[in-house]
Amino acid sequence: MKVHLTNAEATQNLGVALGLFLNPGSVILLEGDLGAGKTTLVQGIGLGLGITDPIVSPTFTLINEYLEGRIPLYHLDLYRLDSGEVTALNIESYWEGIEFTPGIVAIEWSERLTYKPNSYFRIYLSNTGDGARFAELNPYNCTIKQEILSKLNSQ
Ligand code: ADP
Ligand code: MG
């Protein structure tokens, strides 16, 4: 599914739809260049979940956890990591549901993952060439809920 995002608010709204309706245990793998809108989308997820803490880029902290919303949000950014470091982080513990309460796991620079969950949403953000963005949303081993599609169609 390909969506045209005219401005940053549209990117955020896509995130809101996901934050409102995704099930606990959902993993979102975000891909796209620096400045493509990955963090903006995760900020929308935070809004949809009802998180009032500001969602800031975890480029230096690697992982930010937000526990005040409908379900937890685990926000990761792998930009600064090499594959050995990614493997050592045991990121799977965020989606396995044993060590951490199941929530939404959103991973920026997920191209760097050395392993993937069984099911996930891949969102690829790119420039349209005229200042806006495209989002390509592909579910792997899962489906996009009707509620999310309806919310996107109503925007
Ligand atoms: P990334 O995390 O991918 O590096 P950011 O989310 O930090 O990117 O966004 C970079 C810039 O792009 C921000 O100024 C943001 O407001 C802007 N932006 C996000 N989505 C859009 C869009 N659809 N159209 C125009 N600008 C956007
Ligand atoms: Mg970012």
Side-chain angles (χ1 to χ4, degrees):
M1 190 175 86
K2 192 164 180 172
V3 201
H4 186 261
L5 305 167
T6 13
N7 52 34
E9 195 189 352
T11 305
Q12 208 172 58
N13 284 339
L14 169 59
V16 171
L18 299 171
L20 281 172
F21 299 115
L22 280 185
N23 293 330
S26 300
V27 182
I28 301 171
L29 303 187
L30 291 159
E31 298 180 13
D33 288 342
L34 210 58
K38 301 179 292 299
T39 301
T40 308
L41 194 137
V42 179
Q43 285 165 341
I45 294 176
L47 281 177
L49 286 171
I51 294 167
T52 54
D53 271 357
I55 308 266
V56 291
S57 177
T59 305
F60 293 95
T61 50
L62 304 183
I63 301 173
N64 289 338
E65 301 182 13
Y66 303 88
L67 305 176
E68 55 167 321
R70 174 177 68 87
I71 53 176
L73 171 63
Y74 306 108
H75 183 193
L76 291 81
D77 188 329
L78 308 181
Y79 183 61
R80 297 164 59 84
L81 303 183
D82 63 32
S83 61
E85 291 167 323
V86 168
T87 306
L89 264 185
N90 288 325
I91 296 171
E92 66 272 25
S93 58
Y94 284 96
W95 61 67
E96 280 170 352
I98 302 163
E99 200 175 329
F100 294 97
T101 308
I104 296 178
V105 186
I107 308 179
E108 299 190 35
W109 295 96
S110 60
E111 299 93 321
R112 312 249 155 120
L113 280 176
T114 46
Y115 42 84
K116 287 198 167 68
N118 290 331
S119 65
Y120 56 91
F121 298 92
R122 173 182 180 262
I123 302 182
Y124 173 65
L125 292 162
S126 57
N127 284 297
T128 55
D130 58 0
R133 306 286 189 272
F134 286 121
E136 285 177 57
L137 178 51
N138 293 300
Y140 289 83
N141 253 333
C142 57
T143 52
I144 307 175
K145 274 192 187 176
Q146 194 52 52
E147 292 95 321
I148 295 174
L149 295 173
S150 311
K151 180 112 192 1
L152 291 179
N153 285 331
S154 70
Q155 281 167 8

